[in-house]
Amino acid sequence: MGCRDCRTCTMPGLSRAGQSLAAGFGHLMTCGISLFVKRGTIRHCPQCKHVLSRHQVRRDGSFMD
């Protein structure tokens, strides 16, 4: 499931597949270190689990809902 405020969830399927392949390749080349850093230090959306920087928010920090 995705959310409507997320740029990753709303992009076309082919673009999303390319992004996933590129991210997977990057994680593979760094022996998984980049995955641990991403999961451990960057905030993620509780609904779709993508990074919050890919979400549209208002000036006060709330979601655009």
PDB file of all heavy atoms in Angstrom, residues 22-62:
ATOM      1  N   ALA A  22      18.234   0.489  -9.041  1.00  0.00           N
ATOM      2  CA  ALA A  22      19.399   1.333  -8.763  1.00  0.00           C
ATOM      3  C   ALA A  22      19.736   1.326  -7.274  1.00  0.00           C
ATOM      4  O   ALA A  22      20.911   1.238  -6.886  1.00  0.00           O
ATOM      5  CB  ALA A  22      19.137   2.755  -9.240  1.00  0.00           C
ATOM      6  N   ALA A  23      18.711   1.400  -6.431  1.00  0.00           N
ATOM      7  CA  ALA A  23      18.947   1.367  -4.985  1.00  0.00           C
ATOM      8  C   ALA A  23      19.510   0.010  -4.565  1.00  0.00           C
ATOM      9  O   ALA A  23      20.449  -0.062  -3.760  1.00  0.00           O
ATOM     10  CB  ALA A  23      17.651   1.656  -4.238  1.00  0.00           C
ATOM     11  N   GLY A  24      18.967  -1.063  -5.111  1.00  0.00           N
ATOM     12  CA  GLY A  24      19.459  -2.395  -4.793  1.00  0.00           C
ATOM     13  C   GLY A  24      20.904  -2.579  -5.218  1.00  0.00           C
ATOM     14  O   GLY A  24      21.704  -3.167  -4.491  1.00  0.00           O
ATOM     15  N   PHE A  25      21.248  -2.062  -6.392  1.00  0.00           N
ATOM     16  CA  PHE A  25      22.626  -2.135  -6.872  1.00  0.00           C
ATOM     17  C   PHE A  25      23.557  -1.354  -5.949  1.00  0.00           C
ATOM     18  O   PHE A  25      24.649  -1.816  -5.622  1.00  0.00           O
ATOM     19  CB  PHE A  25      22.719  -1.595  -8.303  1.00  0.00           C
ATOM     20  CG  PHE A  25      24.087  -1.683  -8.896  1.00  0.00           C
ATOM     21  CD1 PHE A  25      24.604  -2.902  -9.283  1.00  0.00           C
ATOM     22  CD2 PHE A  25      24.853  -0.540  -9.050  1.00  0.00           C
ATOM     23  CE1 PHE A  25      25.889  -2.984  -9.826  1.00  0.00           C
ATOM     24  CE2 PHE A  25      26.117  -0.618  -9.593  1.00  0.00           C
ATOM     25  CZ  PHE A  25      26.650  -1.843  -9.983  1.00  0.00           C
ATOM     26  N   GLY A  26      23.115  -0.182  -5.523  1.00  0.00           N
ATOM     27  CA  GLY A  26      23.927   0.618  -4.597  1.00  0.00           C
ATOM     28  C   GLY A  26      24.141  -0.081  -3.267  1.00  0.00           C
ATOM     29  O   GLY A  26      25.247  -0.075  -2.713  1.00  0.00           O
ATOM     30  N   HIS A  27      23.102  -0.709  -2.752  1.00  0.00           N
ATOM     31  CA  HIS A  27      23.233  -1.450  -1.495  1.00  0.00           C
ATOM     32  C   HIS A  27      24.161  -2.648  -1.670  1.00  0.00           C
ATOM     33  O   HIS A  27      24.952  -2.967  -0.776  1.00  0.00           O
ATOM     34  CB  HIS A  27      21.869  -1.916  -0.989  1.00  0.00           C
ATOM     35  CG  HIS A  27      20.935  -0.808  -0.618  1.00  0.00           C
ATOM     36  ND1 HIS A  27      21.326   0.324   0.064  1.00  0.00           N
ATOM     37  CD2 HIS A  27      19.613  -0.652  -0.843  1.00  0.00           C
ATOM     38  CE1 HIS A  27      20.295   1.117   0.250  1.00  0.00           C
ATOM     39  NE2 HIS A  27      19.225   0.545  -0.306  1.00  0.00           N
ATOM     40  N   LEU A  28      24.073  -3.310  -2.809  1.00  0.00           N
ATOM     41  CA  LEU A  28      24.929  -4.455  -3.085  1.00  0.00           C
ATOM     42  C   LEU A  28      26.398  -4.034  -3.185  1.00  0.00           C
ATOM     43  O   LEU A  28      27.284  -4.699  -2.645  1.00  0.00           O
ATOM     44  CB  LEU A  28      24.489  -5.127  -4.391  1.00  0.00           C
ATOM     45  CG  LEU A  28      25.240  -6.377  -4.810  1.00  0.00           C
ATOM     46  CD1 LEU A  28      25.007  -7.496  -3.801  1.00  0.00           C
ATOM     47  CD2 LEU A  28      24.802  -6.813  -6.194  1.00  0.00           C
ATOM     48  N   MET A  29      26.670  -2.925  -3.837  1.00  0.00           N
ATOM     49  CA  MET A  29      28.045  -2.468  -4.026  1.00  0.00           C
ATOM     50  C   MET A  29      28.689  -1.994  -2.720  1.00  0.00           C
ATOM     51  O   MET A  29      29.909  -2.013  -2.600  1.00  0.00           O
ATOM     52  CB  MET A  29      28.109  -1.335  -5.064  1.00  0.00           C
ATOM     53  CG  MET A  29      27.802  -1.789  -6.474  1.00  0.00           C
ATOM     54  SD  MET A  29      29.030  -2.915  -7.122  1.00  0.00           S
ATOM     55  CE  MET A  29      28.198  -4.474  -7.046  1.00  0.00           C
ATOM     56  N   THR A  30      27.885  -1.574  -1.765  1.00  0.00           N
ATOM     57  CA  THR A  30      28.447  -1.130  -0.485  1.00  0.00           C
ATOM     58  C   THR A  30      28.334  -2.223   0.575  1.00  0.00           C
ATOM     59  O   THR A  30      28.475  -1.947   1.762  1.00  0.00           O
ATOM     60  CB  THR A  30      27.738   0.139   0.014  1.00  0.00           C
ATOM     61  OG1 THR A  30      26.349  -0.146   0.202  1.00  0.00           O
ATOM     62  CG2 THR A  30      27.927   1.291  -0.937  1.00  0.00           C
ATOM     63  N   CYS A  31      28.081  -3.444   0.141  1.00  0.00           N
ATOM     64  CA  CYS A  31      27.957  -4.607   1.035  1.00  0.00           C
ATOM     65  C   CYS A  31      26.873  -4.414   2.093  1.00  0.00           C
ATOM     66  O   CYS A  31      26.994  -4.889   3.216  1.00  0.00           O
ATOM     67  CB  CYS A  31      29.294  -4.916   1.703  1.00  0.00           C
ATOM     68  SG  CYS A  31      30.598  -5.299   0.541  1.00  0.00           S
ATOM     69  N   GLY A  32      25.837  -3.678   1.761  1.00  0.00           N
ATOM     70  CA  GLY A  32      24.710  -3.487   2.669  1.00  0.00           C
ATOM     71  C   GLY A  32      24.869  -2.367   3.669  1.00  0.00           C
ATOM     72  O   GLY A  32      23.947  -2.082   4.429  1.00  0.00           O
ATOM     73  N   ILE A  33      26.020  -1.714   3.691  1.00  0.00           N
ATOM     74  CA  ILE A  33      26.250  -0.635   4.654  1.00  0.00           C
ATOM     75  C   ILE A  33      25.286   0.518   4.411  1.00  0.00           C
ATOM     76  O   ILE A  33      24.729   1.075   5.359  1.00  0.00           O
ATOM     77  CB  ILE A  33      27.715  -0.161   4.600  1.00  0.00           C
ATOM     78  CG1 ILE A  33      28.639  -1.281   5.052  1.00  0.00           C
ATOM     79  CG2 ILE A  33      27.918   1.087   5.447  1.00  0.00           C
ATOM     80  CD1 ILE A  33      30.098  -1.004   4.823  1.00  0.00           C
ATOM     81  N   SER A  34      25.052   0.858   3.146  1.00  0.00           N
ATOM     82  CA  SER A  34      24.150   1.970   2.843  1.00  0.00           C
ATOM     83  C   SER A  34      22.720   1.659   3.285  1.00  0.00           C
ATOM     84  O   SER A  34      21.987   2.552   3.715  1.00  0.00           O
ATOM     85  CB  SER A  34      24.174   2.299   1.352  1.00  0.00           C
ATOM     86  OG  SER A  34      23.751   1.184   0.584  1.00  0.00           O
ATOM     87  N   LEU A  35      22.325   0.400   3.221  1.00  0.00           N
ATOM     88  CA  LEU A  35      20.989   0.004   3.678  1.00  0.00           C
ATOM     89  C   LEU A  35      20.858   0.199   5.185  1.00  0.00           C
ATOM     90  O   LEU A  35      19.860   0.736   5.665  1.00  0.00           O
ATOM     91  CB  LEU A  35      20.705  -1.447   3.309  1.00  0.00           C
ATOM     92  CG  LEU A  35      19.348  -1.996   3.746  1.00  0.00           C
ATOM     93  CD1 LEU A  35      18.226  -1.247   3.029  1.00  0.00           C
ATOM     94  CD2 LEU A  35      19.258  -3.472   3.460  1.00  0.00           C
ATOM     95  N   PHE A  36      21.860  -0.219   5.940  1.00  0.00           N
ATOM     96  CA  PHE A  36      21.826  -0.043   7.391  1.00  0.00           C
ATOM     97  C   PHE A  36      21.835   1.431   7.782  1.00  0.00           C
ATOM     98  O   PHE A  36      21.142   1.837   8.706  1.00  0.00           O
ATOM     99  CB  PHE A  36      22.982  -0.777   8.060  1.00  0.00           C
ATOM    100  CG  PHE A  36      22.836  -2.265   8.017  1.00  0.00           C
ATOM    101  CD1 PHE A  36      23.789  -3.046   7.391  1.00  0.00           C
ATOM    102  CD2 PHE A  36      21.741  -2.884   8.589  1.00  0.00           C
ATOM    103  CE1 PHE A  36      23.656  -4.425   7.341  1.00  0.00           C
ATOM    104  CE2 PHE A  36      21.596  -4.262   8.555  1.00  0.00           C
ATOM    105  CZ  PHE A  36      22.562  -5.032   7.926  1.00  0.00           C
ATOM    106  N   VAL A  37      22.610   2.240   7.076  1.00  0.00           N
ATOM    107  CA  VAL A  37      22.641   3.678   7.353  1.00  0.00           C
ATOM    108  C   VAL A  37      21.289   4.307   7.034  1.00  0.00           C
ATOM    109  O   VAL A  37      20.753   5.092   7.814  1.00  0.00           O
ATOM    110  CB  VAL A  37      23.767   4.364   6.546  1.00  0.00           C
ATOM    111  CG1 VAL A  37      23.661   5.869   6.616  1.00  0.00           C
ATOM    112  CG2 VAL A  37      25.125   3.901   7.052  1.00  0.00           C
ATOM    113  N   LYS A  38      20.712   3.931   5.890  1.00  0.00           N
ATOM    114  CA  LYS A  38      19.410   4.470   5.487  1.00  0.00           C
ATOM    115  C   LYS A  38      18.336   4.102   6.501  1.00  0.00           C
ATOM    116  O   LYS A  38      17.547   4.934   6.915  1.00  0.00           O
ATOM    117  CB  LYS A  38      19.034   3.955   4.101  1.00  0.00           C
ATOM    118  CG  LYS A  38      17.670   4.407   3.624  1.00  0.00           C
ATOM    119  CD  LYS A  38      17.368   3.792   2.254  1.00  0.00           C
ATOM    120  CE  LYS A  38      15.998   4.169   1.780  1.00  0.00           C
ATOM    121  NZ  LYS A  38      14.960   3.309   2.314  1.00  0.00           N
ATOM    122  N   ARG A  39      18.278   2.840   6.884  1.00  0.00           N
ATOM    123  CA  ARG A  39      17.245   2.373   7.820  1.00  0.00           C
ATOM    124  C   ARG A  39      17.457   2.899   9.233  1.00  0.00           C
ATOM    125  O   ARG A  39      16.513   3.084   9.985  1.00  0.00           O
ATOM    126  CB  ARG A  39      17.199   0.847   7.854  1.00  0.00           C
ATOM    127  CG  ARG A  39      16.707   0.247   6.587  1.00  0.00           C
ATOM    128  CD  ARG A  39      15.240   0.510   6.422  1.00  0.00           C
ATOM    129  NE  ARG A  39      14.770  -0.034   5.148  1.00  0.00           N
ATOM    130  CZ  ARG A  39      13.621   0.270   4.623  1.00  0.00           C
ATOM    131  NH1 ARG A  39      12.815   1.090   5.225  1.00  0.00           N
ATOM    132  NH2 ARG A  39      13.273  -0.240   3.472  1.00  0.00           N
ATOM    133  N   GLY A  40      18.712   3.124   9.610  1.00  0.00           N
ATOM    134  CA  GLY A  40      18.997   3.522  10.990  1.00  0.00           C
ATOM    135  C   GLY A  40      19.014   5.003  11.259  1.00  0.00           C
ATOM    136  O   GLY A  40      18.838   5.432  12.404  1.00  0.00           O
ATOM    137  N   THR A  41      19.230   5.828  10.227  1.00  0.00           N
ATOM    138  CA  THR A  41      19.412   7.256  10.493  1.00  0.00           C
ATOM    139  C   THR A  41      18.368   8.161   9.853  1.00  0.00           C
ATOM    140  O   THR A  41      18.241   9.303  10.262  1.00  0.00           O
ATOM    141  CB  THR A  41      20.801   7.719  10.002  1.00  0.00           C
ATOM    142  OG1 THR A  41      20.895   7.491   8.602  1.00  0.00           O
ATOM    143  CG2 THR A  41      21.911   6.967  10.710  1.00  0.00           C
ATOM    144  N   ILE A  42      17.634   7.677   8.862  1.00  0.00           N
ATOM    145  CA  ILE A  42      16.686   8.522   8.140  1.00  0.00           C
ATOM    146  C   ILE A  42      15.270   8.154   8.549  1.00  0.00           C
ATOM    147  O   ILE A  42      14.926   6.977   8.654  1.00  0.00           O
ATOM    148  CB  ILE A  42      16.873   8.353   6.609  1.00  0.00           C
ATOM    149  CG1 ILE A  42      18.289   8.753   6.206  1.00  0.00           C
ATOM    150  CG2 ILE A  42      15.858   9.193   5.855  1.00  0.00           C
ATOM    151  CD1 ILE A  42      18.620   8.448   4.764  1.00  0.00           C
ATOM    152  N   ARG A  43      14.425   9.173   8.775  1.00  0.00           N
ATOM    153  CA  ARG A  43      13.042   8.918   9.173  1.00  0.00           C
ATOM    154  C   ARG A  43      12.223   8.414   7.991  1.00  0.00           C
ATOM    155  O   ARG A  43      12.396   8.857   6.868  1.00  0.00           O
ATOM    156  CB  ARG A  43      12.421  10.207   9.708  1.00  0.00           C
ATOM    157  CG  ARG A  43      13.068  10.636  11.018  1.00  0.00           C
ATOM    158  CD  ARG A  43      12.417  11.847  11.599  1.00  0.00           C
ATOM    159  NE  ARG A  43      10.999  11.562  11.832  1.00  0.00           N
ATOM    160  CZ  ARG A  43      10.068  12.483  11.966  1.00  0.00           C
ATOM    161  NH1 ARG A  43      10.395  13.751  11.908  1.00  0.00           N
ATOM    162  NH2 ARG A  43       8.820  12.161  12.162  1.00  0.00           N
ATOM    163  N   HIS A  44      11.329   7.474   8.276  1.00  0.00           N
ATOM    164  CA  HIS A  44      10.489   6.856   7.258  1.00  0.00           C
ATOM    165  C   HIS A  44       9.021   7.067   7.581  1.00  0.00           C
ATOM    166  O   HIS A  44       8.634   7.226   8.731  1.00  0.00           O
ATOM    167  CB  HIS A  44      10.783   5.354   7.171  1.00  0.00           C
ATOM    168  CG  HIS A  44      12.124   5.046   6.624  1.00  0.00           C
ATOM    169  ND1 HIS A  44      13.276   5.124   7.369  1.00  0.00           N
ATOM    170  CD2 HIS A  44      12.511   4.678   5.390  1.00  0.00           C
ATOM    171  CE1 HIS A  44      14.300   4.816   6.620  1.00  0.00           C
ATOM    172  NE2 HIS A  44      13.875   4.530   5.406  1.00  0.00           N
ATOM    173  N   CYS A  45       8.192   7.020   6.550  1.00  0.00           N
ATOM    174  CA  CYS A  45       6.746   7.156   6.693  1.00  0.00           C
ATOM    175  C   CYS A  45       6.188   5.907   7.380  1.00  0.00           C
ATOM    176  O   CYS A  45       6.520   4.791   6.986  1.00  0.00           O
ATOM    177  CB  CYS A  45       6.113   7.320   5.306  1.00  0.00           C
ATOM    178  SG  CYS A  45       4.316   7.330   5.299  1.00  0.00           S
ATOM    179  N   PRO A  46       5.313   6.078   8.379  1.00  0.00           N
ATOM    180  CA  PRO A  46       4.746   4.906   9.041  1.00  0.00           C
ATOM    181  C   PRO A  46       3.764   4.134   8.157  1.00  0.00           C
ATOM    182  O   PRO A  46       3.517   2.954   8.391  1.00  0.00           O
ATOM    183  CB  PRO A  46       4.032   5.494  10.259  1.00  0.00           C
ATOM    184  CG  PRO A  46       3.797   6.913   9.924  1.00  0.00           C
ATOM    185  CD  PRO A  46       4.895   7.320   8.988  1.00  0.00           C
ATOM    186  N   GLN A  47       3.241   4.776   7.122  1.00  0.00           N
ATOM    187  CA  GLN A  47       2.252   4.115   6.274  1.00  0.00           C
ATOM    188  C   GLN A  47       2.902   3.319   5.145  1.00  0.00           C
ATOM    189  O   GLN A  47       2.614   2.143   4.956  1.00  0.00           O
ATOM    190  CB  GLN A  47       1.291   5.145   5.691  1.00  0.00           C
ATOM    191  CG  GLN A  47       0.184   4.528   4.867  1.00  0.00           C
ATOM    192  CD  GLN A  47      -0.798   5.573   4.374  1.00  0.00           C
ATOM    193  OE1 GLN A  47      -0.708   6.746   4.731  1.00  0.00           O
ATOM    194  NE2 GLN A  47      -1.721   5.164   3.546  1.00  0.00           N
ATOM    195  N   CYS A  48       3.782   3.956   4.363  1.00  0.00           N
ATOM    196  CA  CYS A  48       4.343   3.288   3.184  1.00  0.00           C
ATOM    197  C   CYS A  48       5.804   2.876   3.340  1.00  0.00           C
ATOM    198  O   CYS A  48       6.362   2.218   2.484  1.00  0.00           O
ATOM    199  CB  CYS A  48       4.197   4.181   1.954  1.00  0.00           C
ATOM    200  SG  CYS A  48       5.227   5.670   1.993  1.00  0.00           S
ATOM    201  N   LYS A  49       6.449   3.307   4.419  1.00  0.00           N
ATOM    202  CA  LYS A  49       7.849   2.958   4.742  1.00  0.00           C
ATOM    203  C   LYS A  49       8.885   3.590   3.824  1.00  0.00           C
ATOM    204  O   LYS A  49      10.047   3.190   3.835  1.00  0.00           O
ATOM    205  CB  LYS A  49       8.063   1.435   4.764  1.00  0.00           C
ATOM    206  CG  LYS A  49       7.103   0.680   5.648  1.00  0.00           C
ATOM    207  CD  LYS A  49       7.249   1.033   7.087  1.00  0.00           C
ATOM    208  CE  LYS A  49       6.401   0.109   7.938  1.00  0.00           C
ATOM    209  NZ  LYS A  49       5.574   0.787   8.888  1.00  0.00           N
ATOM    210  N   HIS A  50       8.500   4.576   3.013  1.00  0.00           N
ATOM    211  CA  HIS A  50       9.484   5.308   2.222  1.00  0.00           C
ATOM    212  C   HIS A  50      10.019   6.461   3.061  1.00  0.00           C
ATOM    213  O   HIS A  50       9.415   6.847   4.060  1.00  0.00           O
ATOM    214  CB  HIS A  50       8.845   5.852   0.936  1.00  0.00           C
ATOM    215  CG  HIS A  50       8.462   4.780  -0.028  1.00  0.00           C
ATOM    216  ND1 HIS A  50       7.191   4.623  -0.508  1.00  0.00           N
ATOM    217  CD2 HIS A  50       9.198   3.791  -0.601  1.00  0.00           C
ATOM    218  CE1 HIS A  50       7.155   3.601  -1.330  1.00  0.00           C
ATOM    219  NE2 HIS A  50       8.357   3.068  -1.404  1.00  0.00           N
ATOM    220  N   VAL A  51      11.152   7.039   2.652  1.00  0.00           N
ATOM    221  CA  VAL A  51      11.741   8.133   3.423  1.00  0.00           C
ATOM    222  C   VAL A  51      10.823   9.348   3.397  1.00  0.00           C
ATOM    223  O   VAL A  51      10.156   9.639   2.402  1.00  0.00           O
ATOM    224  CB  VAL A  51      13.152   8.499   2.905  1.00  0.00           C
ATOM    225  CG1 VAL A  51      14.140   7.412   3.231  1.00  0.00           C
ATOM    226  CG2 VAL A  51      13.164   8.796   1.442  1.00  0.00           C
ATOM    227  N   LEU A  52      10.786  10.071   4.511  1.00  0.00           N
ATOM    228  CA  LEU A  52       9.877  11.207   4.635  1.00  0.00           C
ATOM    229  C   LEU A  52      10.268  12.378   3.733  1.00  0.00           C
ATOM    230  O   LEU A  52       9.422  13.205   3.399  1.00  0.00           O
ATOM    231  CB  LEU A  52       9.803  11.676   6.091  1.00  0.00           C
ATOM    232  CG  LEU A  52       8.894  10.860   6.985  1.00  0.00           C
ATOM    233  CD1 LEU A  52       8.952  11.384   8.419  1.00  0.00           C
ATOM    234  CD2 LEU A  52       7.473  10.867   6.489  1.00  0.00           C
ATOM    235  N   SER A  53      11.521  12.438   3.309  1.00  0.00           N
ATOM    236  CA  SER A  53      11.924  13.534   2.421  1.00  0.00           C
ATOM    237  C   SER A  53      11.266  13.432   1.050  1.00  0.00           C
ATOM    238  O   SER A  53      11.245  14.400   0.305  1.00  0.00           O
ATOM    239  CB  SER A  53      13.447  13.566   2.269  1.00  0.00           C
ATOM    240  OG  SER A  53      13.905  12.371   1.660  1.00  0.00           O
ATOM    241  N   ARG A  54      10.711  12.266   0.702  1.00  0.00           N
ATOM    242  CA  ARG A  54      10.007  12.081  -0.571  1.00  0.00           C
ATOM    243  C   ARG A  54       8.521  12.402  -0.460  1.00  0.00           C
ATOM    244  O   ARG A  54       7.770  12.165  -1.377  1.00  0.00           O
ATOM    245  CB  ARG A  54      10.159  10.630  -1.049  1.00  0.00           C
ATOM    246  CG  ARG A  54      11.567  10.180  -1.319  1.00  0.00           C
ATOM    247  CD  ARG A  54      12.091  10.599  -2.635  1.00  0.00           C
ATOM    248  NE  ARG A  54      11.265  10.091  -3.721  1.00  0.00           N
ATOM    249  CZ  ARG A  54      11.350  10.538  -4.962  1.00  0.00           C
ATOM    250  NH1 ARG A  54      12.213  11.466  -5.266  1.00  0.00           N
ATOM    251  NH2 ARG A  54      10.566  10.055  -5.893  1.00  0.00           N
ATOM    252  N   HIS A  55       8.066  12.930   0.676  1.00  0.00           N
ATOM    253  CA  HIS A  55       6.661  13.235   0.904  1.00  0.00           C
ATOM    254  C   HIS A  55       6.425  14.740   0.835  1.00  0.00           C
ATOM    255  O   HIS A  55       7.272  15.526   1.237  1.00  0.00           O
ATOM    256  CB  HIS A  55       6.223  12.723   2.273  1.00  0.00           C
ATOM    257  CG  HIS A  55       6.110  11.243   2.343  1.00  0.00           C
ATOM    258  ND1 HIS A  55       7.205  10.408   2.294  1.00  0.00           N
ATOM    259  CD2 HIS A  55       5.033  10.437   2.440  1.00  0.00           C
ATOM    260  CE1 HIS A  55       6.802   9.162   2.364  1.00  0.00           C
ATOM    261  NE2 HIS A  55       5.484   9.141   2.451  1.00  0.00           N
ATOM    262  N   GLN A  56       5.254  15.111   0.348  1.00  0.00           N
ATOM    263  CA  GLN A  56       4.867  16.522   0.304  1.00  0.00           C
ATOM    264  C   GLN A  56       4.307  16.906   1.662  1.00  0.00           C
ATOM    265  O   GLN A  56       3.426  16.238   2.191  1.00  0.00           O
ATOM    266  CB  GLN A  56       3.818  16.746  -0.776  1.00  0.00           C
ATOM    267  CG  GLN A  56       4.308  16.473  -2.164  1.00  0.00           C
ATOM    268  CD  GLN A  56       3.193  16.643  -3.184  1.00  0.00           C
ATOM    269  OE1 GLN A  56       2.053  16.906  -2.853  1.00  0.00           O
ATOM    270  NE2 GLN A  56       3.547  16.482  -4.446  1.00  0.00           N
ATOM    271  N   VAL A  57       4.842  17.986   2.214  1.00  0.00           N
ATOM    272  CA  VAL A  57       4.380  18.465   3.513  1.00  0.00           C
ATOM    273  C   VAL A  57       4.112  19.963   3.439  1.00  0.00           C
ATOM    274  O   VAL A  57       4.636  20.669   2.584  1.00  0.00           O
ATOM    275  CB  VAL A  57       5.402  18.174   4.635  1.00  0.00           C
ATOM    276  CG1 VAL A  57       5.522  16.686   4.887  1.00  0.00           C
ATOM    277  CG2 VAL A  57       6.750  18.743   4.300  1.00  0.00           C
ATOM    278  N   ARG A  58       3.307  20.430   4.366  1.00  0.00           N
ATOM    279  CA  ARG A  58       3.049  21.875   4.474  1.00  0.00           C
ATOM    280  C   ARG A  58       4.221  22.537   5.186  1.00  0.00           C
ATOM    281  O   ARG A  58       5.115  21.883   5.667  1.00  0.00           O
ATOM    282  CB  ARG A  58       1.750  22.092   5.267  1.00  0.00           C
ATOM    283  CG  ARG A  58       0.531  21.611   4.558  1.00  0.00           C
ATOM    284  CD  ARG A  58      -0.724  22.040   5.330  1.00  0.00           C
ATOM    285  NE  ARG A  58      -1.881  21.392   4.787  1.00  0.00           N
ATOM    286  CZ  ARG A  58      -2.484  20.335   5.325  1.00  0.00           C
ATOM    287  NH1 ARG A  58      -2.047  19.818   6.453  1.00  0.00           N
ATOM    288  NH2 ARG A  58      -3.532  19.801   4.736  1.00  0.00           N
ATOM    289  N   ARG A  59       4.180  23.844   5.283  1.00  0.00           N
ATOM    290  CA  ARG A  59       5.251  24.588   5.945  1.00  0.00           C
ATOM    291  C   ARG A  59       5.377  24.227   7.423  1.00  0.00           C
ATOM    292  O   ARG A  59       6.451  24.298   7.993  1.00  0.00           O
ATOM    293  CB  ARG A  59       5.015  26.088   5.805  1.00  0.00           C
ATOM    294  CG  ARG A  59       5.101  26.544   4.366  1.00  0.00           C
ATOM    295  CD  ARG A  59       4.928  28.015   4.281  1.00  0.00           C
ATOM    296  NE  ARG A  59       6.223  28.552   3.966  1.00  0.00           N
ATOM    297  CZ  ARG A  59       6.568  29.804   4.078  1.00  0.00           C
ATOM    298  NH1 ARG A  59       5.702  30.679   4.517  1.00  0.00           N
ATOM    299  NH2 ARG A  59       7.763  30.210   3.758  1.00  0.00           N
ATOM    300  N   ASP A  60       4.256  23.841   8.059  1.00  0.00           N
ATOM    301  CA  ASP A  60       4.308  23.492   9.472  1.00  0.00           C
ATOM    302  C   ASP A  60       4.763  22.050   9.718  1.00  0.00           C
ATOM    303  O   ASP A  60       4.877  21.610  10.851  1.00  0.00           O
ATOM    304  CB  ASP A  60       2.964  23.735  10.142  1.00  0.00           C
ATOM    305  CG  ASP A  60       1.844  22.844   9.620  1.00  0.00           C
ATOM    306  OD1 ASP A  60       2.098  22.084   8.665  1.00  0.00           O
ATOM    307  OD2 ASP A  60       0.732  22.933  10.149  1.00  0.00           O
ATOM    308  N   GLY A  61       5.019  21.291   8.641  1.00  0.00           N
ATOM    309  CA  GLY A  61       5.510  19.927   8.758  1.00  0.00           C
ATOM    310  C   GLY A  61       4.451  18.855   8.676  1.00  0.00           C
ATOM    311  O   GLY A  61       4.757  17.672   8.664  1.00  0.00           O
ATOM    312  N   SER A  62       3.189  19.241   8.610  1.00  0.00           N
ATOM    313  CA  SER A  62       2.114  18.236   8.511  1.00  0.00           C
ATOM    314  C   SER A  62       1.963  17.780   7.059  1.00  0.00           C
ATOM    315  O   SER A  62       2.347  18.477   6.138  1.00  0.00           O
ATOM    316  CB  SER A  62       0.790  18.809   9.032  1.00  0.00           C
ATOM    317  OG  SER A  62       0.387  19.901   8.254  1.00  0.00           O
TER     318      SER A  62
END
